[in-house]
Amino acid sequence: FGIHIASNLHQYIIMLTRIASRAVVAKRSVSNLQKVRSQRRSVGTSTKEMQDFAAAHYSHGIGRVSNVVIERGQGSYVYDTDGGKYLDFTCGIAVTNTGHCHPRVVKAAQEQCGKMIHSQVGIYHQKPMLELTDRLLKVLPSSLDRIFYANSGAEACENAVKIARAYTKKQNIVVMNGSFHGRTLAATAMTTSKNVYRNGFGPFPSGIVVANFPYCYRCPVKNNDATHKNDPNWCCNRCDDDLDYLFHTQTSPQDTAAIILEPILGEGGYVPATKSFMTALRKFCTENNILLIVDEVQSGFMRTGKWWGFEHYDVVPDIVVIAKGIASGFPLSAVAASTNIMKACPPGSLGGTYTGNAVACAAGVATMDVIEEENIQDNVNKRGNELVTGLKQLQQNKNYHIGEVRGKGLMIAIEFDDAAPKGVASAVTKACLSYGMFLLTTGAHETIRIIPPLTASRSEIQDCLTILKKALDKTFNLS
């Protein structure tokens, strides 16, 4: 019995020793954690301190155009913490369509914040969402009479696919070469514009098939046709034939739920679809019980001079995806479809915590007020024509190597020819920044996109062209 007690006592002492040792380790860990926290840099107040803080703590996965720290924005301009002023022709990638901090949008958001900030969509209704839905239905095709709200373009695209699969009871989704539908996993699987979005993140969800998109400037048929090479209105319609081949080789109509595309490629180079291609897609989808999903995330909300990019092609989609410009900077997106299609999704299958946020919806209503009441459509078309005219004048200078000027409304791009040095698009945008203007590149080729706010003035368009010319001179050593 004594031996048994001694043995237990020995084990008890060992256990207490281990506990004490762990306590010491834990105390040291807490001490080290406190030390690390005390040594961690604070955000600071100077521009340099804030830039260093961002470099130390932001995700490495975010690509950066600049390290400028912006303090405020107004209209077409942003102002940094050192007092610098920049012409912002990026619009947060086609988001701030009404310009930065449009007074009517600001007022609507402020007033809604005083009433209700968050209203979960499945618990009760809220007035801003009802009003925004009413307004959207008035500018959408009459067949699209149901709307589901989400927070981002990627989320909306994924839900559009869910809806299409539920309705058709089929699985495959056809996307376009050069497409961009987001950075979440399924949206990334549908994105082919650049490999940086995909590298290292697989395996991706299955059932995604890639079709050719009519990128006429890079078309080998057109470029080898001496008669039509320089005709911007001629298309060989090869992609129409490629679509038929795809449905005989990679997927079948019986297995295909939807074809999804941007009417103007966004991250793929600001390449507009051809009318013949859009017509062929609509006809094929109708004949084969395949839904046509049009991603209007970047091209919608009057960006192209019409409410929706697909309106340039006289086709009506089965599902429309909306985001970016819908709320002038507040996180909001939407999926529009018919009742017949939407009812395929049972209650609870769609939703989200922040779906249709009340403040964002109020901003969306105000955004539509601005577009409809401040002559925005006319301004987009006038300013777009001025911008394209000015860019084509720059194109006449062969030293700039501008191969093509393209786009619709205020969704415009210039692509450099193959004689231009690699990296020229980035070099030109950096030069623009040094002269006080933000622009963005796009696509796998050397392309710059110009995305002014839809409220931009004639003088701001001219300022853009002046700065761009200076940047081209600097980049090509012509000044």
Side-chain angles (χ1 to χ4, degrees):
F1 180 73
I3 294 172
H4 179 71
I5 292 176
S7 175
N8 286 343
L9 181 62
H10 178 68
Q11 292 176 8
Y12 183 65
I13 292 171
I14 291 174
M15 182 181 70
L16 288 176
T17 301
R18 288 175 177 171
I19 291 172
S21 175
R22 290 171 182 168
V24 171
V25 171
K27 185 176 180 180
R28 287 174 180 169
S29 297
V30 170
S31 176
N32 289 336
L33 180 59
Q34 291 172 338
K35 184 177 180 181
V36 168
R37 284 175 174 170
S38 67
Q39 293 175 345
R40 182 179 294 165
R41 71 173 78 243
S42 65
V43 65
T45 56
S46 72
T47 299
K48 181 64 166 60
E49 287 173 328
M50 288 186 277
Q51 289 170 335
D52 290 345
F53 180 85
H57 298 298
Y58 283 2
S59 169
H60 291 84
I62 297 174
R64 300 214 62 80
V65 173
S66 79
N67 283 315
V68 175
V69 181
I70 296 302
E71 189 167 57
R72 65 186 181 91
Q74 190 65 53
S76 297
Y77 295 92
V78 291
Y79 302 82
D80 68 21
T81 48
D82 292 325
K85 177 182 178 180
Y86 302 85
L87 185 60
D88 182 10
F89 274 19
T90 71
C91 275
I93 316 183
V95 171
T96 54
N97 282 6
T98 58
H100 289 288
C101 297
H102 192 287
R104 296 175 72 170
V105 177
V106 171
K107 182 181 179 182
Q110 288 174 334
E111 290 179 352
Q112 184 58 40
C113 280
K115 296 176 182 177
M116 175 173 280
I117 295 174
H118 173 65
S119 169
Q120 207 285 326
V121 66
I123 299 175
Y124 33 61
H125 296 296
Q126 38 101 343
K127 191 175 179 182
M129 185 191 291
L130 293 167
E131 290 179 344
L132 181 59
T133 301
D134 181 50
R135 298 290 292 277
L136 284 173
L137 293 177
K138 290 175 180 176
V139 298
L140 284 163
S142 60
S143 58
L144 309 183
D145 59 353
R146 296 274 178 166
I147 293 178
F148 165 74
Y149 291 98
N151 307 292
S152 69
E155 188 180 355
C157 283
E158 292 206 12
N159 276 283
V161 168
K162 282 178 63 176
I163 294 166
R165 284 175 168 170
Y167 175 73
T168 63
K169 303 296 188 290
K170 297 186 286 186
Q171 72 276 13
N172 288 351
I173 305 295
V174 176
V175 303
M176 298 294 134
N177 191 24
S179 62
F180 181 91
H181 299 294
R183 291 181 175 91
T184 52
L185 196 62
T188 299
M190 298 191 293
T191 292
T192 64
S193 53
K194 291 180 183 177
N195 59 20
V196 68
Y197 304 128
R198 301 168 61 92
N199 287 351
F201 297 114
F204 296 107
S206 61
I208 308 298
V209 180
V210 182
N212 285 328
F213 186 88
Y215 195 161
C216 293
Y217 180 68
R218 293 284 169 182
C219 174
V221 174
K222 184 171 184 175
N223 286 327
N224 288 317
D225 187 322
T227 304
H228 299 105
K229 180 178 181 179
N230 297 315
D231 182 355
N233 298 313
W234 186 83
C235 179
C236 68
N237 297 327
R238 176 183 175 181
C239 291
D240 303 13
D241 297 332
D242 288 349
L243 188 69
D244 182 68
Y245 182 74
L246 178 142
F247 277 97
H248 280 86
T249 55
Q250 296 186 54
T251 185
S252 68
Q254 292 77 18
D255 286 334
T256 305
I259 297 174
I260 181 170
L261 84 160
E262 304 154 277
I264 301 176
L265 296 181
E267 302 303 312
Y270 272 34
V271 183
T274 62
K275 189 166 185 176
S276 64
F277 185 66
M278 292 292 285
T279 301
L281 285 181
R282 178 66 278 176
K283 183 174 184 292
F284 187 87
C285 287
T286 301
E287 292 174 348
N288 292 281
N289 189 32
I290 296 171
L291 298 187
L292 179 61
I293 304 174
V294 175
D295 179 345
E296 292 279 1
V297 169
Q298 195 160 168
S299 56
F301 257 70
M302 207 59 73
R303 171 55 56 184
T304 67
K306 295 180 181 290
W307 273 108
W308 316 109
F310 66 77
E311 292 182 280
H312 293 279
Y313 303 100
D314 297 324
V315 300
V316 175
D318 298 297
I319 299 177
V320 175
V321 180
I322 310 162
K324 287 190 182 291
I326 187 174
S328 294
F330 286 87
L332 186 66
S333 61
V335 181
S338 67
T339 294
N340 194 39
I341 291 172
M342 282 286 195
K343 70 182 181 182
C345 300
S349 61
L350 302 178
T353 301
Y354 301 105
T355 292
N357 173 267
V359 180
C361 285
V365 173
T367 297
M368 295 191 72
D369 286 341
V370 173
I371 292 173
E372 291 177 347
E373 297 172 15
E374 297 187 12
N375 207 25
I376 295 300
Q377 185 172 29
D378 183 61
N379 192 67
V380 170
N381 290 313
K382 285 181 178 177
R383 302 292 88 81
N385 288 336
E386 291 164 4
L387 179 58
V388 168
T389 298
L391 293 172
K392 287 186 175 180
Q393 288 174 354
L394 292 176
Q395 186 183 21
Q396 298 306 308
N397 188 335
K398 300 305 180 184
N399 292 316
Y400 294 154
H401 293 283
I402 297 175
E404 183 174 51
V405 177
R406 59 174 177 257
K408 295 182 184 295
L410 285 174
M411 189 174 181
I412 304 299
I414 58 171
E415 181 172 340
F416 294 94
D417 62 32
D418 291 336
K422 186 176 181 180
V424 65
S426 292
V428 172
T429 59
K430 287 179 181 178
C432 284
L433 184 58
S434 72
Y435 293 126
M437 178 172 68
F438 280 99
L439 290 181
L440 294 171
T441 60
T442 182
H445 300 287
E446 299 292 338
T447 307
I448 295 173
R449 52 182 152 173
I450 306 174
I451 327 171
L454 310 187
T455 54
S457 66
R458 175 179 295 181
S459 63
E460 289 167 349
I461 295 296
Q462 294 307 314
D463 287 346
C464 165
L465 293 166
T466 299
I467 293 173
L468 181 57
K469 183 180 186 306
K470 289 172 64 177
L472 288 164
D473 286 339
K474 181 179 180 180
T475 302
F476 289 103
N477 298 312
L478 300 174
S479 56

